[in-house]
Structures are given as structure tokens and as C-alpha cells.
Amino acid sequence: MSSLNHCIKFELDIKDENIVFKDYFYKSIKLQKHKIYEAELIQPACPYCGSLDLLHNGHLITNIRYPTANASLPVIIRLAKQRVKCRDCDHWSMAQSELVNKYCSISNASKLKVLSALTEDRSMTSIARENNVSINTVQRVLGNCSHRFIDSYEYLPAHLAFDEFKGVDRQLHFICLDGDNHQVVQILRTRYKKTLLKYFGRFSPQARANVKTVTMDLNFYYQDIVRACFPNAQIVIDRFHMIQMLTRSFNSLRVQVMKTFDKRSRQYQLLKSPWKLYLKKFDELEKAHPRYNWHYKDCLTQAQVVMEGINTSTTLENSYNLMQSFIQAVETGNTHELKSLINCQDQIGTLMHKTLLTFKHNLTAVLNGAELPYSNGCLEGFNRKIKQIERTAFGYSNFTNLLTRIRLEEDLCKEKEPNSLLMTA
């Protein structure tokens, strides 16, 4: 019996000396084969006074689900917990073990395995099926993780990045990242101005004064929040959003000019079919090897196509040259060139003129975006991860569960030891 007990403990990796395994057998439960281990949990001493003078009064049989490498053969430990009465203090007690929590039939090892699976991009259904537990058990383990992400209002990173993403019920949620190590600072249910002011207002003046830069898109009330909450912070407009606004303005002008020509004309085909070439940097266009295109029935290089297309309109040519110069100035960080381009007086499209006017109203923040190395690229990449999390789960109806799953799937959370969660799961 002793050798059998040690062998089973070694196989299941159980180190509790108070658990004694007696036998094992196979049994079919709900048309599925299970491996059943019979064991007894001994109460060595009174938990109240430590006395060894105990009166045994039967057992409480608990079927505990235990993880196994073979998901097709679930393991159940039929544990008989001793009920005892202390003759010294007259207290009744029941034997307890770290194998499983009190009043629970799911082992802590199974919960730990479920929690480890929750840090990966997997659905709760697949996690429950692999660990032979119910989906509600997986949800309970996820819900018990929410308390570990407690907000601290004593520190803020020197460089922040603001943005939003679509989450529960297609609502926009606010997200803030550390611009240096790309860790999540906070995710809020709404992005309303009063909500953000209330949240950042909870931080101490020293923590808010520590913020040096805040990177964002051209959302107007984000700038009001920065000015109200962070006295020493510089507003940085993300370079991607600036170039995106400019290219969209040019693309709209290209379509307007294209529609002025007949659909069968060469000018129309030059502006329509190769539209992606107009949005690329001119230095990246092919200039040596011409190719035949059946739309305009000619053999031209990519650079020749673009040059002949923009020559159809002076406004389109000026807008294209402005866009190319703006992109180059942003990439090189040439703020003087950028300022002169924003104040350009050439004939350009109406939408592009409005875009430049927007840049002019936010001139300092736009120049900071070109000069400083910070951007919202890390935040856009993290939003892509959030979309994948929602897609895997076919959407979330509970914001707390979504927030907890996002936090768990962060890289740093995978390195943390989650044993503390098992005592409350």
C-alpha cells in the first residue's frame, strides 16, 4: 500500500503527506472513460488548539477533478476527508488540503492550468474542454483574476499614449499605454471627457507633473485633458495620423479630378486603375523597367504613370508634391520644412486645404510629432491584439471580463506567479 501511495503521488505530483492513496480503477461516466483514484485525507491535529487527541466521526467524500496530460481520459480523485472532534477544545473540524479549496471540487492544479491557458489567445470553450471542466468554471477563474489589477494613483510614466478601441456593445473604450515599455496604464469603460478628467484627477500633483509627453491623434478634447491634468506635458500628434489625413485628402482630390474625364479616356484610366501608386513615396516607385497595362494600353514605368497622371491637373500636381514633401519632412524630422509646407499658399484641393488648416491650429503638437521619437505605433499594435481577443471569444458582453482577459494576455502577466488566485477561486 505504501509503494502504491508513493507511485500515485509521484504520477500526479501531489506532495501533501496527509493524503493517502489506496486504489485506482477505470469507470465510464456519461459515456466517457474516467480514471478514478481513491484516497483519504487525514486530519493529524486540531486546527484550533493543535491537540492530537481527536475523535474520528466518518468522512466526507468529494470527487475532485484533477488535470491530466491526456484530455480524453479525465482523472478524478475520490477524496475521503476525515471529520474529527477535538476532545480538548470540543471543536468539530474537517481535514483540509492545498490540493483543493474548502467546499470546492475543482483542484487548485486544474485552476492553475486554466489560468495559464487564459493568458493565451484561446476561447473559453476550448480551455474548458481541454481541462475537463465547465465553461462556468473557466469564467469563475477569470473573474477571480480581476482583483489583482488594482489601480495605483501614486505614479504615472513620463511618456503616455492615448487612444480608443471598440469593445463591449460596440462602444469606444479609452486606453492609455506607457510610451517607453508599452505596458498598459489604464483601460476605461468610456472615453468621455468628464470620465478622463475624474480618473487622472485622482493622481497626486507630483505624479501628474512627472508626465513629459502625451501622444495622441487629432482628437480635440484629449488636448484639453492634457492641458488640465499634466502641467509639464508636451502634446505630440502621431505621425501616422498626420500622413493618413494628408493621403486621404489627396485621394479624394484624385477621385474628383478623375471624374471630370470621360471613363474611356486615357487620363481617366491613368488616375483610376493604378491608384495605389499615388499613395506611395515617389522614391519607392519603379523607374527603370516599364510594364504594359491594358487599361491605358501603354508600356510605362510606375514613375511615368504617376507623373502623367498628376499632369492632368495643376491642383492635383501641387497637392501631390505637397504630400510627398510633407511625408519626407516628417520622416527626417525637418520642422522648418514642415512649417513652410503647412503655410503653403499654392493651389491645392479644398479638403487638403482643410487638413493643412487643422495642422496649423495644432502646429506645436504637429511639430512635436515630427521632432520627437514617440508615436502611437505601440498602441495601434496593442489595439490589434484586443481585436483578436474579441474575435476569438465572438465578442464580450461583460467589460470586466474583457479587461481581465486583456490584462492576462499581456506578456508580463505570463511571467507572474498566479498561485495567489487559487485561494479565492
Side-chain angles (χ1 to χ4, degrees):
M1 182 63 70
S2 177
S3 61
L4 177 63
N5 177 43
H6 291 318
C7 290
I8 295 177
K9 280 189 173 183
F10 180 79
E11 180 184 356
L12 299 180
D13 194 21
I14 296 176
K15 301 177 182 180
D16 194 338
E17 297 180 354
N18 296 326
I19 297 178
V20 179
F21 285 90
K22 299 180 179 180
D23 195 7
Y24 71 94
F25 56 90
Y26 296 94
K27 184 178 180 180
S28 179
I29 302 176
K30 294 182 179 179
L31 302 180
Q32 186 177 12
K33 188 178 180 181
H34 286 64
K35 192 173 186 179
I36 312 295
Y37 291 94
E38 288 188 342
E40 182 182 10
L41 179 58
I42 301 172
Q43 178 73 294
C46 177
Y48 298 97
C49 65
S51 174
L52 301 179
D53 190 6
L54 304 176
L55 176 64
H56 296 278
N57 185 24
H59 297 83
L60 175 66
I61 307 298
T62 305
N63 293 324
I64 301 172
R65 294 184 177 271
Y66 199 79
T68 177
N70 186 3
S72 62
L73 184 63
V75 170
I76 293 179
I77 300 177
R78 186 166 292 173
L79 189 64
K81 300 180 181 179
Q82 283 188 353
R83 283 195 293 252
V84 298
K85 179 183 179 182
C86 179
R87 287 191 173 95
D88 292 337
C89 63
D90 291 335
H91 277 98
W92 289 90
S93 61
M94 185 178 297
Q96 300 297 329
S97 171
E98 294 181 355
L99 176 68
V100 63
N101 294 338
K102 192 176 182 180
Y103 309 122
C104 189
S105 61
I106 307 296
S107 65
N108 290 334
S110 296
K111 295 177 184 178
L112 184 60
K113 191 175 179 182
V114 168
L115 183 60
S116 177
L118 285 171
T119 62
E120 304 171 358
D121 184 25
R122 298 176 55 189
S123 66
M124 293 188 183
T125 304
S126 66
I127 295 173
R129 187 184 301 113
E130 178 183 335
N131 294 277
N132 296 301
V133 295
S134 65
I135 299 177
N136 290 335
T137 299
V138 179
Q139 291 176 343
R140 280 195 297 270
V141 173
L142 178 65
N144 289 324
C145 298
S146 58
H147 73 277
R148 71 184 295 184
F149 309 113
I150 300 175
D151 296 332
S152 174
Y153 299 101
E154 300 298 328
Y155 170 77
L156 276 173
H159 306 283
L160 297 176
F162 287 1
D163 204 359
E164 60 275 337
F165 66 94
K166 285 185 179 180
V168 178
D169 295 332
R170 307 295 294 172
Q171 294 182 358
L172 289 175
H173 306 306
F174 173 79
I175 181 171
C176 177
L177 253 64
D178 187 341
D180 288 326
N181 55 25
H182 304 168
Q183 294 183 18
V184 175
V185 176
Q186 185 56 272
I187 299 176
L188 300 178
R189 186 183 297 270
T190 62
R191 60 165 188 165
Y192 298 143
K193 184 176 180 179
K194 61 179 181 180
T195 304
L196 302 184
L197 289 174
K198 182 179 179 181
Y199 169 72
F200 287 111
R202 295 174 181 172
F203 288 88
S204 62
Q206 294 80 8
R208 289 187 277 114
N210 183 54
V211 179
K212 300 296 187 296
T213 63
V214 179
T215 310
M216 64 186 73
D217 53 16
L218 286 160
N219 194 321
F220 67 95
Y221 68 82
Y222 281 172
Q223 301 186 27
D224 296 338
I225 294 169
V226 174
R227 297 187 185 100
C229 298
F230 310 115
N232 300 328
Q234 289 182 302
I235 300 174
V236 180
I237 301 299
D238 183 46
R239 295 182 289 275
F240 167 77
H241 288 89
M242 290 190 293
I243 295 176
Q244 184 186 54
M245 286 186 63
L246 207 62
T247 53
R248 285 179 176 176
S249 301
F250 173 80
N251 206 35
S252 176
L253 177 62
R254 178 192 61 82
V255 174
Q256 291 179 5
V257 174
M258 179 189 69
K259 290 182 177 180
T260 60
F261 298 101
D262 184 81
K263 291 185 177 181
R264 291 168 293 183
S265 64
R266 178 183 176 89
Q267 293 87 348
Y268 185 92
Q269 296 299 331
L270 283 170
L271 292 173
K272 180 177 176 60
S273 59
W275 64 272
K276 291 184 180 180
L277 299 180
Y278 295 94
L279 305 181
K280 293 178 64 176
K281 291 190 292 186
F282 188 78
D283 295 338
E284 298 178 357
L285 296 177
E286 178 62 51
K287 302 179 180 63
H289 304 285
R291 291 187 178 183
Y292 181 81
N293 191 296
W294 66 273
H295 288 97
Y296 38 85
K297 297 177 177 59
D298 200 353
C299 193
L300 300 173
T301 64
Q302 293 181 349
Q304 290 175 339
V305 171
V306 172
M307 293 304 298
E308 187 174 346
I310 63 177
N311 287 334
T312 57
S313 171
T314 304
T315 303
L316 187 65
E317 183 179 5
N318 293 338
S319 300
Y320 181 81
N321 294 332
L322 175 65
M323 180 184 67
Q324 293 292 328
S325 301
F326 191 93
I327 294 174
Q328 184 177 4
V330 169
E331 290 182 348
T332 58
N334 191 343
T335 55
H336 296 287
E337 177 69 16
L338 206 60
K339 188 182 297 184
S340 63
L341 290 173
I342 292 175
N343 296 318
C344 176
Q345 301 297 327
D346 294 339
Q347 183 181 0
I348 55 178
T350 304
L351 190 57
M352 181 164 286
H353 177 72
K354 291 181 179 180
T355 301
L356 294 180
L357 194 61
T358 303
F359 292 161
K360 190 173 183 180
H361 290 163
N362 302 275
L363 183 61
T364 304
V366 169
L367 297 180
N368 288 337
E371 185 177 7
L372 299 178
Y374 301 102
S375 71
N376 269 14
C378 59
L379 195 50
E380 297 295 339
F382 196 83
N383 286 347
R384 174 65 180 82
K385 292 183 180 180
I386 295 176
K387 290 180 181 178
Q388 182 60 42
I389 292 172
E390 294 178 317
R391 188 179 296 112
T392 302
F394 297 95
Y396 281 83
S397 59
N398 188 301
F399 176 75
T400 303
N401 288 344
L402 173 61
L403 177 59
T404 306
R405 194 69 189 273
I406 292 171
R407 293 284 198 170
L408 282 175
E409 293 198 23
E410 287 185 78
D411 293 335
L412 291 180
C413 286
K414 296 181 182 180
E415 301 173 1
K416 294 180 181 178
E417 182 62 36
N419 287 332
S420 59
L421 301 177
L422 301 180
M423 301 308 296
T424 58

